[in-house]
């Protein structure tokens, strides 16, 4: 039997274990997951603290185009069959675990004051995680052009309607490749609208003709026709933008779409075999500027929000925004045109509760073994440098003699969850509270050396990229490609802050359920998460009525001192509450401008210190916790799942080249599936849903 070690229990590693443990491989493969500490999830881990409160690594929102991630979750819940096996569990199906969220927004500073800019995206009947529905070949520049041009038609119709009828523009963003129908013509305003729409329809036809022309001489005339048409539309919207705030915002979006169309045509992405990848060496904002995007658009919350959501600031410096242009085009296309059901999906409990606990249960039933409390220390090469000959682990804890395996889960209000500390009743001796950090005291750890042929045959490296320099020293010394990957693909620390409230967000002045980005430092992203309170176990006397999550990038220099970094995030949270929270919670600020600390839940005193100590914050500076960035040109340094250069080592994580080279759940799931395919000798993208770019199939 072939023995496979999965080194790391994050999304990518568990996805690989899921595919390798399919019933068809049960007689051929033995799969073991090695995990430091007491819980699974990696950067997506969550646990339950005091009163069962959900404590996350950061803010996790699933997007509607995450087909592979949703497919995994759907399979897990179907196999668990909780309605039959655990009918009292409050989350029994994937639809119990996730709810659609179509209301999103960004924040905009206008003449020194911040304003909300929110939108409701049209839902559709498609379901994420299925091969059918709205999602399609959006990694194709041709499809992107068609959909973007049709969106321009909606903008133009909306503009004409506003001009003639003094109404706000009625633009609807939809995942459908066809634009929404407008009411039938019936007057001069409708005639003007039809004329303008006809111009855009002609543009759509010209774009399709350009795609079909390929490299033929006719393409140059079509190219000029398209660029001239885009210039006319751009002037039209520049004029409209001066009339009102609503039109200016719509004009920014139209200008962004026009710049994307113009750049796609000018840079010949329609015929370049690399597709979007042909411009991945450029920064997205700089690429837009090169193709005529207005400075107001480049400074708009639309663009800033995109950078915020992917922590796209070099070394965590907000004055150095950097993000691959090709990936920016792909993500915009996926987010706005390929979502299924809803643009966002909220989890109905912590990510550890709705994703990792069910995965652990289902994998355990399949026979996958878990080795908790085992830290990966080093990979060792064979004498001929062609394979991994040995793996050194550090055993962090010993189980009691009567136990074969550690049970990591507890139950909170009927829901299996990971606790915030090890279940010491299963351990032989007390353990330290820092088992999940790279800097923990290792003097009590027992070294464990695993040998190829005796303990394992193949290994999947599914740690975070930040850990590679610490666990793969021999590989870095031997392989130039590994050295290039580590130096060429960057990670960045992040920070998060969760607050529990004595007053509802609605009473404080905010719209519950809304997620916004693009706000002021230190926390640029805010998500209303009060819908999770029912999953926590607060006593009635606590009177907790709301909860809010905040996150942002953290300067790389903060990683030098983890303790100081934690204190810095605490200071950032205090600064955010005392200086900036009034924009979201006006009722939390007194007439003299001071923050009312009794808004925060605190079991004792209600002063600043006691109130802050009762909240939860994290400085994600550990090498395994840092976010993998997509800086311009970095995709060239990423290795694919089967490109380790060693015949029994495969790679999984959102840091490999998987076709979606971004730090997100979907990328990690895709990478895990590709690692499993590589182990099994299948084509890398076998069974992977969607259309992507830059990865060999």
């Amino acid at each position: 039997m072939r023995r496979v070690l999965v080194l790391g229990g994050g999304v990518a590693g568990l996805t690989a274990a899921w595919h390798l443990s399919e019933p068809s491989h049960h007689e051929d493969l033995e799969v073991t997951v090695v995990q430091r500490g007491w819980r699974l999830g990696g950067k997506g881990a969550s646990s339950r603290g005091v009163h069962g409160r959900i404590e996350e690594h950061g803010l996790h929102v699933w997007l509607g185009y995450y087909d592979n991630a949703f497919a995994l979750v759907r399979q897990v819940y179907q196999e668990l069959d909780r309605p039959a096996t655990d009918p009292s569990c409050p989350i029994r199906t994937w639809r119990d675990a996730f709810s659609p969220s179509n209301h999103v927004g960004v924040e905009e500073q206008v003449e020194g004051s911040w304003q909300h800019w929110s939108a409701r995206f049209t839902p559709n009947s498609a379901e994420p995680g299925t091969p059918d529905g709205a999602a399609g070949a959006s990694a194709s520049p041709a499809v992107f052009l068609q959909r973007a041009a049709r969106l321009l038609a909606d903008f133009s119709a909306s503009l004409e309607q506003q001009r003639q009828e003094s109404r706000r523009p009625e633009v609807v963003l939809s995942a459908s490749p066809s634009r929404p129908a407008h009411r039938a013509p019936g007057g001069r305003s409708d005639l003007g609208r039809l004329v303008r729409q006809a111009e855009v329809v002609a543009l759509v036809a010209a774009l399709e003709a350009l795609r079909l022309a390929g490299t033929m001489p006719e393409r140059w005339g079509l190219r000029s026709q398209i660029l001239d048409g885009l210039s006319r539309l751009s002037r039209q919207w520049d004029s409209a933008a001066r009339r009102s705030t609503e039109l200016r915002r719509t004009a920014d979006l139209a200008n962004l779409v026009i710049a994307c169309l113009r750049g796609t045509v000018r840079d010949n992405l329609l015929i370049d075999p690399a597709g979007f990848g042909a411009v991945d060496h450029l920064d997205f904002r700089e690429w837009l500027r090169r193709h005529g995007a207005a400075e107001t658009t480049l400074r708009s919350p639309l663009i800033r929000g995109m950078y915020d959501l992917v922590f796209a600031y070099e070394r965590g410096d907000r004055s150095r925004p950097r993000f691959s242009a090709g990936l920016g085009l792909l993500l915009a296309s996926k987010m706005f045109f390929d979502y299924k059901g809803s643009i966002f999906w909220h989890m109905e409990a912590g990510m550890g509760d709705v994703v990792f606990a069910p995965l652990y249960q289902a994998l355990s039933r399949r026979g996958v073994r878990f080795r908790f409390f085992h830290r990966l220390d080093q990979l060792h090469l064979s004498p001929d440098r062609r394979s991994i000959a040995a793996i050194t682990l550090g055993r962090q804890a010993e189980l009691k003699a009567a136990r074969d395996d550690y049970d990591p889960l507890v139950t909170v209000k009927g829901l299996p969850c990971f606790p915030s500390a090890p279940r010491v009743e299963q351990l032989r001796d007390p353990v330290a509270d820092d088992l999940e950090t790279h800097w923990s005291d290792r003097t009590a750890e027992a070294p464990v050396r695993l040998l190829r042929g005796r303990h394992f045959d193949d290994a999947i490296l599914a740690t975070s990229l930040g850990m590679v320099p610490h666990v793969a020293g021999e590989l870095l010394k031997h392989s130039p490609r590994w050295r290039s990957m580590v130096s060429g693909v960057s990670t960045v620390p992040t920070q998060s802050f969760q607050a529990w409230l004595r007053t509802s967000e609605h009473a404080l002045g905010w719209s519950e359920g809304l997620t916004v980005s693009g706000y002021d430092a230190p926390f640029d992203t805010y998500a209303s998460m009060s819908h999770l309170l029912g999953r926590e176990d607060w006593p009635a006397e606590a009177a907790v009525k709301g909860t809010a999550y905040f996150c942002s990038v953290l300067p790389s220099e903060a990683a030098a001192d983890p303790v100081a970094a934690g204190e810095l995030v605490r200071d950032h949270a205090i600064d955010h509450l005392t200086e900036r929270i009034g924009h979201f919670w006006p009722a939390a600020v007194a007439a003299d401008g001071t923050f009312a600390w009794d808004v925060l839940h605190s079991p004792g005193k209600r002063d600043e210190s006691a109130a802050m100590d009762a909240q939860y914050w994290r400085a994600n500076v550990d090498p395994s916790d840092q976010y993998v960035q997509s800086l311009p040109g970095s995709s060239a340094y990423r290795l694919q799942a089967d490109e380790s250069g060693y015949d029994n080592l495969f790679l999984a994580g959102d840091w490999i080249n998987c076709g979606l080279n971004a730090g997100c759940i979907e990328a990690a799931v895709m990478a895990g599936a590709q690692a499993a395919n590589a182990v099994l000798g299948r084509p890398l993208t076998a069974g992977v849903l969607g259309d992507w770019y830059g990865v060999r199939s």
Side-chain angles (χ1 to χ4, degrees), residues 3-7 17 30-34 368-371:
R3 294 156 297 186
V4 181
L5 285 182
V6 179
L7 303 172
E30 178 184 281
V31 181
T32 301
V33 177
V34 177
V368 173
R369 302 201 67 182
F370 288 84
R371 290 291 175 258

Side-chain angles (χ1 to χ4, degrees), residues 223-270:
R223 190 173 183 268
S224 297
Q225 175 187 339
I226 291 166
L227 294 175
D228 289 344
L230 290 172
S231 295
R232 287 193 298 274
L233 287 171
S234 183
R235 289 192 296 271
Q236 169 189 332
W237 277 102
D238 287 345
S239 174
R242 293 189 287 270
R243 294 190 211 137
S244 69
T245 298
E246 290 79 11
L247 271 174
R248 177 182 53 76
R249 289 172 171 174
T250 308
D252 283 341
L253 184 52
N255 187 261
L256 171 62
V257 173
I258 289 169
C260 289
L261 287 168
R262 185 185 287 122
T264 302
V265 172
R266 281 180 176 171
D267 289 346
N268 296 316
L269 300 188
L270 282 170

Side-chain angles (χ1 to χ4, degrees), residues 102-107 115-121 249 510-511 514-516:
N102 289 298
H103 194 191
V104 297
V106 289
E107 299 302 308
Q115 297 180 6
H116 307 308
W117 182 3
S118 64
R120 293 188 182 274
F121 286 74
R249 289 172 171 174
W510 187 240
S511 175
L514 180 62
T515 298
V516 297

Side-chain angles (χ1 to χ4, degrees), residues 150-161:
R150 288 187 174 113
L151 183 58
L152 276 181
D154 293 334
F155 290 153
S156 295
S158 174
L159 177 61
E160 184 64 27
Q161 181 175 342

Side-chain angles (χ1 to χ4, degrees), residues 489-656:
V489 183
S490 298
T491 64
V492 69
T494 62
Q495 58 182 333
S496 63
F497 167 53
Q498 295 173 230
W500 286 265
L501 312 174
R502 292 180 179 272
T503 305
S504 71
E505 291 175 284
H506 179 75
L508 292 174
W510 187 240
S511 175
E512 294 184 4
L514 180 62
T515 298
V516 297
S517 193
Y519 190 47
D520 200 9
F523 292 100
D524 52 45
T525 301
Y526 163 39
S528 165
M529 303 297 282
S530 296
H531 66 285
L532 298 182
L533 287 179
R535 302 295 183 205
E536 300 178 342
D537 198 18
W538 294 96
E541 61 270 20
V544 177
K545 297 181 179 179
T547 184
Y549 292 13
F550 304 86
C551 70
S552 187
V553 73
L554 193 64
S556 293
E557 293 75 16
D561 186 337
V563 175
E567 295 171 351
L568 177 63
V569 175
R570 186 182 191 275
D571 290 343
H572 283 172
I574 293 173
D575 175 74
H576 202 69
L577 292 172
T578 56
E579 302 296 330
R580 294 167 178 81
I581 203 63
H583 172 61
F584 299 113
W585 303 341
V589 179
D592 62 358
T594 58
F595 177 67
W597 286 100
D598 60 357
V599 164
L600 300 184
H601 165 74
S602 174
K605 294 181 179 180
R606 299 186 184 181
D607 58 15
E608 174 183 314
S609 178
M612 277 303 305
D613 288 344
Q615 312 312 309
Y616 183 75
W617 63 90
R618 286 183 60 99
N620 295 312
V621 297
D622 189 277
S624 67
D625 290 339
Q626 295 191 30
Y627 182 87
V628 180
Q629 294 182 302
S630 303
L631 301 182
S634 61
S635 287
Y637 301 105
R638 292 177 179 240
L639 302 177
Q640 294 186 171
D642 60 351
E643 290 183 335
S644 76
Y646 306 100
D647 60 24
N648 65 334
L649 180 66
F650 305 90
L651 309 178
D654 60 5
W655 47 274
I656 74 168

Side-chain angles (χ1 to χ4, degrees), residues 46-171:
S46 72
S47 57
R48 296 304 190 104
V50 60
H51 300 308
R53 72 179 190 180
I54 297 167
E55 297 172 349
E56 294 277 9
H57 179 280
L59 174 62
H60 304 292
V61 178
W62 288 46
L63 275 70
Y65 73 84
Y66 284 4
D67 266 333
N68 292 283
F70 275 107
L72 172 68
V73 168
R74 291 167 69 111
Q75 293 165 18
V76 168
Y77 277 93
Q78 182 178 10
E79 194 164 304
L80 278 181
D81 192 17
R82 279 179 171 173
T85 62
D86 191 5
S88 63
C89 181
I91 294 180
R92 294 182 290 276
T93 69
W94 82 270
R95 288 309 302 257
D96 296 332
F98 291 88
S99 60
S101 177
N102 289 298
H103 194 191
V104 297
V106 289
E107 299 302 308
E108 179 181 27
Q109 194 170 31
V110 179
E111 297 180 352
S113 65
W114 287 91
Q115 297 180 6
H116 307 308
W117 182 3
S118 64
R120 293 188 182 274
F121 286 74
T122 305
N124 60 62
S125 59
E127 287 196 345
T130 59
D132 58 336
S138 63
S140 160
V143 174
F144 172 75
L145 283 179
Q146 293 166 3
R147 294 182 176 182
R150 288 187 174 113
L151 183 58
L152 276 181
D154 293 334
F155 290 153
S156 295
S158 174
L159 177 61
E160 184 64 27
Q161 181 175 342
Q162 195 272 346
R163 176 186 288 113
Q164 298 291 344
E165 302 174 15
S166 299
R167 295 173 58 181
R168 290 186 176 185
E170 297 179 354
V171 175

